[in-house]
């Protein structure tokens, strides 16, 4: 059984899966629009949640939230399910495929054999779409790969029930029905307000703009409190979370900038075009932060002065993001004026 599914490659797994599934059901959607209406942009530094024995740093919302929020705001009816056993999970997957329904699945990257060995690490928040089954192989649209791939039933079963942080427990999700005419302007407006809220007004000091400043303060004390070896481990972990493990720091700022560019026409607010440019510039700053941090980890820059510089860059980035989201919050809450972009 094989579903006629249009595979498209994207930068990030969940926003790519969301865009591909919406397109399959007749709603034209870019990755940027899926990410934006899914409210994917975020930041949090959470010392008491560990990934690979180091504090969690995330540049996006929790796995599953982009698909859930995007479909909810568009009025799409969806189903998602977790399972207690691999047998039940596989039976349900096969049943849906037999009905011609492409199925989104959460998996552990380490257990997917089509990933190059260098990119297999223990991260259980990777999303893909299962589009069919031939013999003992599942046919998969993984949006971070150029072409569709295959995965044996045994390997996919292991990946769907990977252990550890963010354990997927066989989680699947799929679209049941689409509205005749989704209200995209309302979805865009609601999503922008939501991202502004979480970046500016999250009550805990670990998240949003306050979370960036919290990380800067913690980082400044690492050399004294942790010593050189542990400081380099913590710093390298942030770079990995930003640039490799699907949380995509600077990259997500670029995607959100593209969303704001599309949103300007959708909600008739040409002011969003300028904010899109500012968001792109913030993405560049995050990438420069990662570049300097990686130089420190490789011994190509001195630790103490580099930590001071990285701390300063984080503080500057927090100020830039706070300014951006305050302006965004103000603009999206204003009535639309005549002569705006349409």
């Amino acid at each position: 059984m094989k579903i006629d599914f249009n595979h498209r490659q994207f930068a990030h797994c969940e926003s790519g899966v969301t865009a591909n599934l919406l397109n399959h059901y007749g709603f034209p959607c870019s990755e940027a629009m899926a990410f934006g209406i899914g409210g994917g942009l975020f930041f949090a530094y959470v010392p008491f949640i560990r990934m690979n024995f180091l504090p969690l740093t995330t540049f996006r919302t929790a796995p599953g939230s982009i698909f859930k929020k995007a479909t909810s705001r568009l009025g799409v009816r969806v189903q998602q399910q977790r399972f207690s056993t691999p047998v039940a999970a596989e039976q349900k997957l096969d049943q849906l495929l037999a009905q011609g329904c492409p199925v989104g699945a959460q998996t552990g990257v380490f257990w997917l054999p089509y990933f190059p060995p260098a990119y297999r690490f223990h991260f259980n928040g990777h999303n893909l779409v299962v589009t069919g089954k031939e013999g003992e192989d599942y046919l998969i649209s993984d949006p971070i790969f150029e072409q569709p791939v295959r995965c044996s039933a045994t390997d996919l079963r292991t990946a769907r029930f990977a252990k550890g942080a963010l354990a997927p427990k066989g989680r699947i999700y799929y679209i049941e029905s689409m509205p005749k005419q989704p209200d995209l302007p309302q979805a865009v407006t609601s999503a922008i307000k939501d991202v502004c809220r979480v970046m500016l007004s999250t009550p805990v000091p670990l998240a949003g703009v306050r979370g960036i400043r919290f990380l800067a303060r913690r980082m400044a004390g690492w050399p004294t409190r942790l010593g050189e070896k542990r400081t380099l481990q913590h710093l390298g972990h942030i770079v990995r979370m930003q640039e490799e493990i699907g949380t995509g720091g600077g990259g997500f700022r670029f995607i959100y900038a593209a969303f704001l560019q599309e949103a300007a026409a959708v909600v008739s607010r040409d002011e969003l075009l300028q904010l899109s440019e500012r968001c792109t510039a913030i993405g560049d700053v995050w990438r420069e932060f990662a570049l300097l941090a990686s130089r420190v980890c490789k011994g190509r820059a001195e630790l103490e002065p580099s930590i001071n510089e990285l701390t300063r860059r984080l503080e500057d980035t927090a100020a830039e993001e706070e300014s951006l989201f305050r302006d965004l919050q103000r603009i999206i809450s204003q009535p639309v004026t005549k002569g705006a972009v349409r």
Side-chain angles (χ1 to χ4, degrees):
M1 48 187 169
K2 181 179 180 181
I3 299 168
D4 184 14
F5 188 86
N6 183 25
H7 170 83
R8 296 183 301 165
Q9 184 180 25
F10 290 117
H12 177 253
C13 66
E14 189 180 346
S15 52
V17 163
T18 302
N20 276 338
L21 285 173
L22 289 172
N23 275 274
H24 179 78
Y25 285 94
F27 180 74
C29 184
S30 67
E31 178 183 22
M33 184 59 66
F35 182 78
I37 59 177
L41 199 72
F42 188 53
F43 180 87
Y45 177 73
V46 192
F48 52 83
I49 297 179
R50 299 278 164 154
M51 180 169 289
N52 298 325
F53 307 102
L54 291 163
L56 173 67
T57 307
T58 181
F59 296 80
R60 55 149 292 176
T61 50
S65 65
I66 292 174
F67 177 79
K68 180 180 179 180
K69 288 185 177 181
T71 53
S72 175
R73 287 178 175 134
L74 291 171
V76 179
R77 185 177 178 183
V78 303
Q79 290 288 343
Q80 59 177 325
Q81 191 173 353
R82 295 181 188 271
F83 302 87
S84 57
T85 67
V87 172
E90 195 164 312
Q91 287 176 345
K92 182 64 175 180
L93 176 59
D94 290 351
Q95 176 188 342
L96 291 167
L97 293 175
Q99 296 170 357
C101 177
V103 181
Q106 183 180 334
T107 62
V109 169
F110 184 82
W111 305 103
L112 295 172
Y114 59 82
F115 267 76
Y119 290 94
R120 291 185 209 160
F121 45 83
H122 290 287
F123 174 66
N124 292 331
H126 184 67
N127 291 267
L128 50 82
V129 182
V130 185
T131 62
K133 189 176 185 180
E134 292 181 351
E136 290 301 310
D137 287 347
Y138 283 100
L139 309 179
I140 291 174
S141 169
D142 190 319
I144 68 170
F145 283 83
E146 185 175 358
Q147 300 294 334
V149 295
R150 287 174 173 262
C151 184
S152 74
T154 300
D155 288 326
L156 185 60
R157 187 183 310 125
T158 303
R160 292 180 64 197
F161 281 86
K163 305 296 183 181
L166 304 176
K169 298 180 182 179
R171 177 176 173 265
I172 58 171
Y173 50 95
Y174 52 95
I175 291 176
E176 279 196 331
S177 63
M178 295 283 295
K180 291 183 179 179
Q181 190 170 0
D183 189 345
L184 185 56
Q186 176 57 35
V188 165
T189 301
S190 173
I192 291 176
K193 289 180 178 179
D194 184 38
V195 165
C196 291
R197 178 185 60 81
V198 298
M199 289 301 295
L200 296 173
S201 305
T202 302
V204 295
L206 310 178
V209 170
R210 293 176 70 192
I212 301 174
R213 293 192 171 112
F214 175 71
L215 173 58
R217 292 193 299 271
R218 296 282 290 219
M219 184 179 293
W222 283 351
T224 301
R225 185 166 60 87
L226 300 177
E228 181 175 350
K229 181 178 179 180
R230 288 290 290 168
T231 295
L232 295 178
Q233 289 175 341
H234 279 62
L235 194 58
H237 185 63
I238 290 174
V239 174
R240 196 176 189 197
M241 294 298 292
Q242 179 180 333
E243 299 297 328
E244 295 182 14
I245 305 183
T247 65
F252 279 149
R253 272 58 186 171
F254 299 143
I255 295 175
Y256 201 75
F259 162 68
L260 292 177
Q261 191 172 27
E262 290 188 40
V266 172
V267 298
S268 301
R269 296 181 186 277
D270 52 359
E271 304 98 323
L272 297 184
L273 296 174
Q274 183 182 21
L275 296 187
S276 171
E277 295 178 358
R278 286 168 59 186
C279 193
T280 297
I282 289 172
D284 289 335
V285 173
W286 276 113
R287 284 286 163 86
E288 290 168 2
F289 169 88
L291 178 61
L292 175 57
S294 63
R295 284 175 53 82
V296 177
C297 293
K298 293 177 181 179
R300 298 174 183 172
E302 292 185 30
L303 180 63
E304 297 252 1
S306 297
I307 288 291
N308 293 336
E309 174 64 16
L310 289 168
T311 299
R312 183 191 65 77
R313 292 191 184 194
L314 283 177
E315 291 169 344
D316 290 347
T317 302
E320 290 293 331
E321 293 213 358
E322 181 176 17
S323 175
L324 170 71
F325 288 109
R326 291 204 184 282
D327 288 346
L328 184 56
Q329 189 176 57
R330 172 181 52 80
I331 288 169
I332 203 64
S333 300
Q334 291 175 346
V336 177
T337 56
K338 292 183 179 181
V341 175
R342 291 190 183 276

